[in-house]
Amino acid sequence: MMQVPALLLVFLAPVTQVSSNTEGEKMSITKATGSGSSVEIICDLITQTLKYIHWYKYQEGTAPQRLLYYDISYSRVRLESGVSEGKYKVYKEKSYTFAISNLQESDSGMYYCAAWENAGWKKIFGKATELIVAPPDRDLDIDMSPKPTMFLPSITEIKHDNTGTYLCLLENFFPHVIKVYWRQKGGNRVLPSQEGNTLKTADTYMKFSWLTVSGNSMGKEHMCIVKHEKNKRGTNQEVLFPPVNEGIDSTVEDLSLLGSKNNFVTTTKPPNDGLKDKKKQVPVGNSTKACLKDENNTLQLQLMNTSAYYTYLLLLIKSTVYFVIITSCMFRTGLWGNQKSS
C-alpha cells in the first residue's frame, strides 16, 4: 500500500483512478463576454453516412438540452422551440462546426454533437467541449497555465516498501478543466495513477496527481503529462521525473536533515519557455542531492504555507461547530430553567 505523509492527507483523500489517454481531445475553450465575441466547436463524429447532426448543451444541475439539428442533405439548421435566431450556426469546413455568437456567461456549459446510427436505434455522441465564458473583469491575457512542482519518493518508502511514489502538484491554472496522466519516458502506454480532486484556490485552481512505481520501473524516467487549454503553444506539458534509485545512497544523510515530516524532495523550476520541441519538458537535475541543496528552503516554506492554510481552514470549521453546540446548549438550559420556574 502506498504511504503518504500525514501533511498531505488533506489533499489526497478524495482520489480517482486515471484510466485513459485523452491527447486528441479539445477539452475546454475560454472566452470573454461581449457582443463581438464568438466561439467555434468542432463535431468529431464521422459524417459520411449521417443525415442529421444534433447539438446539445449541458449545464450542471439541469438535463441536457438539444439546441438544434443540422440537415446535412439540405445544409439547413432547424432550431428547437425557444432558441433565439442568429445565436447558433452550423457550417462545413474540414468538419462540421458549431458556432455561438454574442457570448454571455449563461452560455457556459458542455457542448457536444450527436447522431443516430444508420439503423436508427442508437444515438452516438461526440466528445464534449466545455465552454467557459469569463466575467468582464477576468484578465484572459495573463499566464494561466498549470505551474508544476515535483515531489520525489521518500527514502523510507523506497527502503521499506521497495516502491517509489512520484507526486506532481499543479497550481495557479484557469480554467478548471485539466487532464493529467503518466507515462514512462519513451513509452506510449498510459500508466495507472491516482489523482485528487481539482481544488479552487482564490480565483485559480490546483490539482495533485501521483504515480507509484516498483521493480524494474524504479530505474526508468517517468513523465507527468499535463493537458490544459492555456499551455503555451497549445501543447502538453511533460514534467520529467528522474529514476527512483538515482542518487539515493548519496542523499540519505542530507534527507535526514529535513526531519521526519518532510518526506519529499521538490523543485519549483517552471516550464522552459525557450524549448524548441513541440512539447515542454520540466526536468529534475541529474542529482537528487543537488536538488535538495538548491530547493530545501523552498520546500519547507511551501509545505508550511500550504499546511497552514488548510490547518486554519480546519480550525475555523471546528470553532464554528463548537459555537453552534455551545449556543444550542445555552438556549436549551435557559429554556429548561424558564419551564421549571413557571
Side-chain angles (χ1 to χ4, degrees), residues 62-87:
T62 65
Q65 174 192 7
R66 190 176 74 164
L67 302 171
L68 58 85
Y69 70 90
Y70 182 74
D71 188 330
I72 295 176
S73 300
Y74 296 95
S75 301
R76 185 181 302 167
V77 172
R78 298 190 180 275
L79 300 173
E80 286 293 307
S81 175
V83 175
S84 302
E85 291 276 354
K87 180 71 173 178

CSV table of all heavy atoms in Angstrom, one decimal, residues 62-87:
chain,number,residue,atom,x,y,z
A,62,THR,N,-28.9,20.5,-14.5
A,62,THR,CA,-30.0,20.5,-15.5
A,62,THR,C,-29.9,19.3,-16.4
A,62,THR,O,-28.8,18.7,-16.5
A,62,THR,CB,-30.0,21.8,-16.3
A,62,THR,OG1,-28.9,21.9,-17.1
A,62,THR,CG2,-30.1,23.0,-15.4
A,63,ALA,N,-31.0,19.0,-17.1
A,63,ALA,CA,-30.9,18.0,-18.1
A,63,ALA,C,-30.3,18.5,-19.4
A,63,ALA,O,-30.4,19.7,-19.7
A,63,ALA,CB,-32.4,17.5,-18.4
A,64,PRO,N,-29.6,17.6,-20.2
A,64,PRO,CA,-29.1,18.1,-21.5
A,64,PRO,C,-30.2,18.7,-22.3
A,64,PRO,O,-31.3,18.2,-22.4
A,64,PRO,CB,-28.5,16.8,-22.1
A,64,PRO,CG,-28.3,15.9,-20.9
A,64,PRO,CD,-29.3,16.2,-19.9
A,65,GLN,N,-29.9,19.8,-23.0
A,65,GLN,CA,-30.9,20.5,-23.9
A,65,GLN,C,-30.4,20.4,-25.3
A,65,GLN,O,-29.3,20.8,-25.6
A,65,GLN,CB,-30.9,21.9,-23.4
A,65,GLN,CG,-31.8,22.8,-24.3
A,65,GLN,CD,-31.7,24.3,-24.0
A,65,GLN,OE1,-30.8,24.7,-23.2
A,65,GLN,NE2,-32.5,25.1,-24.7
A,66,ARG,N,-31.3,19.9,-26.2
A,66,ARG,CA,-31.0,19.9,-27.6
A,66,ARG,C,-31.3,21.3,-28.1
A,66,ARG,O,-32.4,21.8,-28.0
A,66,ARG,CB,-31.8,18.9,-28.4
A,66,ARG,CG,-31.2,18.8,-29.8
A,66,ARG,CD,-31.9,17.7,-30.6
A,66,ARG,NE,-33.3,18.1,-31.0
A,66,ARG,CZ,-34.0,17.4,-31.9
A,66,ARG,NH1,-33.5,16.4,-32.6
A,66,ARG,NH2,-35.2,17.8,-32.2
A,67,LEU,N,-30.3,21.9,-28.8
A,67,LEU,CA,-30.4,23.3,-29.3
A,67,LEU,C,-30.9,23.3,-30.7
A,67,LEU,O,-31.7,24.2,-31.1
A,67,LEU,CB,-29.1,24.0,-29.2
A,67,LEU,CG,-28.4,24.1,-27.8
A,67,LEU,CD1,-27.0,24.7,-27.9
A,67,LEU,CD2,-29.3,25.0,-26.9
A,68,LEU,N,-30.4,22.4,-31.5
A,68,LEU,CA,-30.8,22.3,-32.9
A,68,LEU,C,-30.4,21.0,-33.5
A,68,LEU,O,-29.6,20.2,-32.9
A,68,LEU,CB,-30.1,23.5,-33.7
A,68,LEU,CG,-28.6,23.6,-33.6
A,68,LEU,CD1,-27.9,22.7,-34.6
A,68,LEU,CD2,-28.1,25.0,-33.7
A,69,TYR,N,-30.8,20.8,-34.8
A,69,TYR,CA,-30.2,19.7,-35.5
A,69,TYR,C,-29.9,20.2,-36.9
A,69,TYR,O,-30.6,21.2,-37.4
A,69,TYR,CB,-31.1,18.4,-35.6
A,69,TYR,CG,-32.4,18.5,-36.3
A,69,TYR,CD1,-32.4,18.2,-37.7
A,69,TYR,CD2,-33.5,18.9,-35.7
A,69,TYR,CE1,-33.6,18.3,-38.4
A,69,TYR,CE2,-34.7,18.9,-36.4
A,69,TYR,CZ,-34.8,18.6,-37.7
A,69,TYR,OH,-35.9,18.7,-38.4
A,70,TYR,N,-28.9,19.7,-37.6
A,70,TYR,CA,-28.5,20.1,-38.9
A,70,TYR,C,-28.8,19.1,-39.9
A,70,TYR,O,-28.3,17.9,-39.8
A,70,TYR,CB,-27.0,20.4,-38.8
A,70,TYR,CG,-26.4,21.0,-40.1
A,70,TYR,CD1,-26.6,22.3,-40.5
A,70,TYR,CD2,-25.6,20.2,-40.9
A,70,TYR,CE1,-26.1,22.8,-41.7
A,70,TYR,CE2,-25.0,20.7,-42.1
A,70,TYR,CZ,-25.3,22.0,-42.5
A,70,TYR,OH,-24.7,22.5,-43.6
A,71,ASP,N,-29.5,19.5,-40.9
A,71,ASP,CA,-29.9,18.6,-42.1
A,71,ASP,C,-28.7,18.6,-43.1
A,71,ASP,O,-28.5,19.6,-43.8
A,71,ASP,CB,-31.2,19.0,-42.7
A,71,ASP,CG,-31.7,18.0,-43.7
A,71,ASP,OD1,-30.9,17.4,-44.4
A,71,ASP,OD2,-32.9,18.0,-43.9
A,72,ILE,N,-27.9,17.6,-43.1
A,72,ILE,CA,-26.7,17.6,-44.0
A,72,ILE,C,-27.1,17.6,-45.5
A,72,ILE,O,-26.5,18.3,-46.3
A,72,ILE,CB,-25.9,16.3,-43.7
A,72,ILE,CG1,-25.3,16.4,-42.3
A,72,ILE,CG2,-24.7,16.1,-44.7
A,72,ILE,CD1,-24.6,15.2,-41.8
A,73,SER,N,-28.2,16.9,-45.8
A,73,SER,CA,-28.6,16.9,-47.3
A,73,SER,C,-28.9,18.3,-47.8
A,73,SER,O,-28.6,18.6,-49.0
A,73,SER,CB,-29.8,16.0,-47.4
A,73,SER,OG,-29.5,14.7,-47.0
A,74,TYR,N,-29.6,19.1,-47.0
A,74,TYR,CA,-30.0,20.4,-47.5
A,74,TYR,C,-29.2,21.6,-46.8
A,74,TYR,O,-29.6,22.7,-47.1
A,74,TYR,CB,-31.5,20.6,-47.2
A,74,TYR,CG,-32.4,19.6,-47.9
A,74,TYR,CD1,-32.8,18.4,-47.3
A,74,TYR,CD2,-32.8,19.9,-49.2
A,74,TYR,CE1,-33.6,17.5,-48.0
A,74,TYR,CE2,-33.6,19.0,-49.9
A,74,TYR,CZ,-34.0,17.8,-49.3
A,74,TYR,OH,-34.8,16.9,-50.0
A,75,SER,N,-28.2,21.2,-46.0
A,75,SER,CA,-27.4,22.3,-45.4
A,75,SER,C,-28.3,23.3,-44.6
A,75,SER,O,-28.2,24.5,-44.8
A,75,SER,CB,-26.5,23.0,-46.4
A,75,SER,OG,-25.7,22.1,-47.0
A,76,ARG,N,-29.2,22.7,-43.8
A,76,ARG,CA,-30.2,23.6,-43.2
A,76,ARG,C,-30.2,23.3,-41.7
A,76,ARG,O,-30.2,22.2,-41.2
A,76,ARG,CB,-31.6,23.2,-43.8
A,76,ARG,CG,-32.7,24.1,-43.3
A,76,ARG,CD,-34.0,23.7,-43.9
A,76,ARG,NE,-34.0,23.8,-45.3
A,76,ARG,CZ,-34.9,23.2,-46.1
A,76,ARG,NH1,-35.9,22.5,-45.6
A,76,ARG,NH2,-34.7,23.3,-47.5
A,77,VAL,N,-30.3,24.4,-40.9
A,77,VAL,CA,-30.4,24.3,-39.5
A,77,VAL,C,-31.8,24.4,-39.0
A,77,VAL,O,-32.5,25.3,-39.5
A,77,VAL,CB,-29.5,25.5,-38.8
A,77,VAL,CG1,-29.7,25.5,-37.3
A,77,VAL,CG2,-28.1,25.3,-39.1
A,78,ARG,N,-32.2,23.6,-38.1
A,78,ARG,CA,-33.6,23.6,-37.6
A,78,ARG,C,-33.4,23.8,-36.0
A,78,ARG,O,-33.0,22.9,-35.4
A,78,ARG,CB,-34.3,22.3,-37.9
A,78,ARG,CG,-34.5,22.2,-39.4
A,78,ARG,CD,-35.5,21.1,-39.7
A,78,ARG,NE,-35.7,20.9,-41.2
A,78,ARG,CZ,-36.6,21.6,-41.9
A,78,ARG,NH1,-37.3,22.5,-41.3
A,78,ARG,NH2,-36.7,21.4,-43.2
A,79,LEU,N,-33.9,24.9,-35.5
A,79,LEU,CA,-33.7,25.3,-34.1
A,79,LEU,C,-34.8,24.7,-33.3
A,79,LEU,O,-36.0,24.5,-33.8
A,79,LEU,CB,-33.7,26.8,-34.0
A,79,LEU,CG,-32.6,27.6,-34.7
A,79,LEU,CD1,-32.9,29.1,-34.5
A,79,LEU,CD2,-31.3,27.2,-34.1
A,80,GLU,N,-34.5,24.3,-32.1
A,80,GLU,CA,-35.5,23.9,-31.1
A,80,GLU,C,-36.4,25.1,-30.7
A,80,GLU,O,-36.0,26.3,-30.8
A,80,GLU,CB,-34.9,23.3,-29.9
A,80,GLU,CG,-34.3,21.9,-30.1
A,80,GLU,CD,-35.4,20.9,-30.4
A,80,GLU,OE1,-36.3,20.8,-29.6
A,80,GLU,OE2,-35.3,20.2,-31.4
A,81,SER,N,-37.6,24.8,-30.3
A,81,SER,CA,-38.5,25.9,-29.8
A,81,SER,C,-37.9,26.7,-28.7
A,81,SER,O,-37.3,26.1,-27.7
A,81,SER,CB,-39.8,25.2,-29.4
A,81,SER,OG,-40.7,26.2,-28.8
A,82,GLY,N,-38.0,28.0,-28.8
A,82,GLY,CA,-37.4,28.9,-27.7
A,82,GLY,C,-36.0,29.3,-27.9
A,82,GLY,O,-35.5,30.1,-27.2
A,83,VAL,N,-35.3,28.7,-28.9
A,83,VAL,CA,-33.9,29.0,-29.2
A,83,VAL,C,-33.9,30.2,-30.1
A,83,VAL,O,-34.5,30.3,-31.1
A,83,VAL,CB,-33.1,27.8,-29.8
A,83,VAL,CG1,-31.7,28.2,-30.2
A,83,VAL,CG2,-33.1,26.7,-28.8
A,84,SER,N,-33.1,31.2,-29.7
A,84,SER,CA,-33.0,32.5,-30.5
A,84,SER,C,-32.4,32.3,-31.9
A,84,SER,O,-31.4,31.7,-32.0
A,84,SER,CB,-32.2,33.6,-29.7
A,84,SER,OG,-32.8,33.8,-28.4
A,85,GLU,N,-33.0,33.0,-32.8
A,85,GLU,CA,-32.5,33.0,-34.2
A,85,GLU,C,-31.2,33.8,-34.2
A,85,GLU,O,-31.0,34.8,-33.5
A,85,GLU,CB,-33.5,33.7,-35.1
A,85,GLU,CG,-34.8,32.9,-35.4
A,85,GLU,CD,-34.6,31.9,-36.5
A,85,GLU,OE1,-33.5,31.9,-37.1
A,85,GLU,OE2,-35.5,31.1,-36.7
A,86,GLY,N,-30.2,33.3,-34.9
A,86,GLY,CA,-28.9,34.0,-35.1
A,86,GLY,C,-27.9,33.8,-34.0
A,86,GLY,O,-26.8,34.2,-34.1
A,87,LYS,N,-28.3,33.1,-32.9
A,87,LYS,CA,-27.4,32.8,-31.8
A,87,LYS,C,-26.5,31.7,-32.2
A,87,LYS,O,-25.3,31.7,-31.9
A,87,LYS,CB,-28.2,32.4,-30.6
A,87,LYS,CG,-27.4,32.0,-29.4
A,87,LYS,CD,-26.7,33.2,-28.8
A,87,LYS,CE,-26.0,32.9,-27.5
A,87,LYS,NZ,-25.3,34.0,-26.9
